[in-house]
Amino acid sequence: LPSTVTLRILDAFPTGSPLENRIRRLGLGDRLRFSGKVSSQDLDRAYRQAAAVILPSLFEGFGLPAVEGLAVGTPVVATTAGALAEVIAEAGAGTLVAPRDAAALAGAIQNVLDHWDQEHLRALQARERIEQQFAWSRIARKTSEIYRGLLESRASD
């Protein structure tokens, strides 16, 4: 990606870790900003200020960052790891690449940056689907239904 592209990471800098050495070795120190852990209010602000939410996950249990990013209209680029593919498909917005494919990830990020207005509009249009599919009330109801079904099947055994 062009040198003008920077990455804000909402986590602590990995002091003393192999990742710190790798960042130095690759000369990426000026392109990475570690914000540390942030409050819910700051997280919402970070999603809104970002040009894109990037999730290069190798495993993702649910994909909440994708939902949160799209819900505020920020384009998402994610891997197909874990639940991310399902979340992106349900939302009808976002871009997916294979895990560990750095070239595909960079290409997808560049595409979002090159077509930001269209990607932003797609993300905004996904909000209603996100609210329908991933509202906490719906998730709680579906979870309760699954537990109830399990208990009923166990009681009949």
Side-chain angles (χ1 to χ4, degrees):
L1 293 168
S3 62
T4 56
V5 175
T6 60
L7 181 64
R8 179 178 178 196
I9 301 167
L10 304 179
D11 204 349
F13 184 78
T15 304
S17 73
L19 182 56
E20 179 184 22
N21 295 332
R22 190 168 190 182
I23 290 167
R24 254 194 217 104
R25 193 174 67 249
L26 294 172
L28 296 175
D30 292 341
R31 297 183 67 186
L32 303 176
R33 291 187 357 231
F34 287 83
S35 299
K37 300 289 184 187
V38 297
S39 68
S40 296
Q41 183 179 4
D42 289 339
L43 180 61
D44 184 65
R45 187 177 305 114
Y47 282 129
R48 291 176 190 278
Q49 292 173 344
V53 173
I54 311 303
L55 302 166
S57 303
L58 300 179
F59 175 80
E60 191 72 42
F62 173 69
L64 189 57
V67 170
E68 292 171 332
L70 290 170
V72 298
T74 303
V76 171
V77 175
T79 65
T80 55
L84 287 169
E86 180 182 349
V87 168
I88 296 297
E90 289 286 337
T95 302
L96 292 168
V97 299
R100 299 183 195 270
D101 189 339
L105 184 65
I109 293 168
Q110 188 63 60
N111 186 64
V112 166
L113 297 174
D114 290 345
H115 302 98
W116 192 86
D117 290 338
Q118 296 98 316
E119 294 297 321
H120 174 60
L121 182 59
R122 283 181 61 214
L124 287 172
Q125 291 170 338
R127 183 175 178 99
E128 186 176 335
R129 287 186 298 279
I130 288 168
E131 288 175 351
Q132 290 172 355
Q133 295 298 319
F134 302 112
W136 284 118
S137 59
R138 183 174 193 274
I139 299 296
R141 184 177 65 254
K142 287 184 80 171
T143 301
S144 176
E145 289 170 3
I146 290 169
Y147 283 140
R148 196 173 299 117
L150 289 171
L151 291 172
E152 289 170 0
S153 71
R154 185 157 190 181
S156 66
D157 285 344

